[in-house]
Amino acid sequence: PVNDAQDMAEALRGAGFDVISRTNATQKQMQQAMREFGGRLTAGGVGLFYFAGHGVQVKGKNFLIPIGAAIKSEAEAEDEAIDVNGVLAKMSEAGSRVNIVVLDACRDNPFVRTFRSGTRGLASVGEAPSGTLIAYATGPGRVAADGAGRNGIYTGELLKAMREPGLKLEDVFKRVIRNVRQATREQQVPWTLSSVDGDFIFR
């Protein structure tokens, strides 16, 4: 995940994004970064949030797990982790024209033994502001592979597609879906939800 985050930050800077990057962050550091992120979003602009690491779902909500989280039950996830809905709320408040949320956070739940539900992967986000694309490394309730190289399989394919000149946003993620499915022999199928109605190109 650290390699994924660093390489994604570099790719986004190369595409002209103003990047806030954190690796191995505590909950407080993640919250501070999210506040800074919300402050930089602009009405009519483009906002992109990327996370690589552990994520869990609790009662239909997705939580991103910071370094040092001590979660002994599902009820403690809200106190110890970061709710993805908080990211979407900041995008909604800013009125960004295009919002992109990429969650490469569908690895095994590290707290599965203490969670009653035994749910795997992430849940599908219910509500998001208009003009939003939410991309998951795999389908709802499924688990993604880490891969054997520098990057996870999903982020590795996303980085390649983002660097392709002239490729529209939806085509970037279609290519990722196709290539990840092929690389994992259909064991991992990325998932994308979108209400973006315009054209956006990374390069």
Side-chain angles (χ1 to χ4, degrees), residues 26-159:
T26 64
Q27 184 190 40
K28 185 175 181 179
Q29 290 169 333
M30 288 178 71
Q31 289 170 336
Q32 290 173 338
M34 281 179 59
R35 282 194 292 269
E36 187 179 351
F37 172 71
R40 293 196 199 179
L41 293 173
T42 59
V46 177
L48 187 150
F49 179 89
Y50 170 88
F51 179 85
H54 283 295
V56 297
Q57 61 164 299
V58 177
K59 296 179 181 178
K61 288 186 176 181
N62 294 318
F63 292 91
L64 310 178
I65 309 301
I67 290 295
I71 301 175
K72 296 179 181 178
S73 69
E74 291 183 343
E76 294 179 1
E78 193 165 343
D79 296 328
E80 295 281 332
I82 301 295
D83 188 344
V84 172
N85 286 333
V87 176
L88 296 171
K90 291 191 180 302
M91 290 175 157
S92 181
E93 289 169 9
S96 303
R97 181 176 59 87
V98 176
N99 304 296
I100 305 165
V101 178
V102 181
L103 301 174
D104 192 354
C106 308
R107 295 166 172 85
D108 281 322
N109 179 353
F111 310 106
V112 69
R113 292 182 181 179
T114 60
F115 278 27
R116 290 182 179 180
S117 66
T119 52
R120 307 176 76 212
L122 297 181
S124 177
V125 172
E127 294 185 16
S130 178
T132 299
L133 182 144
I134 302 175
Y136 302 86
T138 190
R142 302 297 296 257
V143 177
D146 281 321
R150 174 177 170 80
N151 299 113
I153 293 173
Y154 178 82
T155 293
E157 292 298 335
L158 178 55
L159 288 167

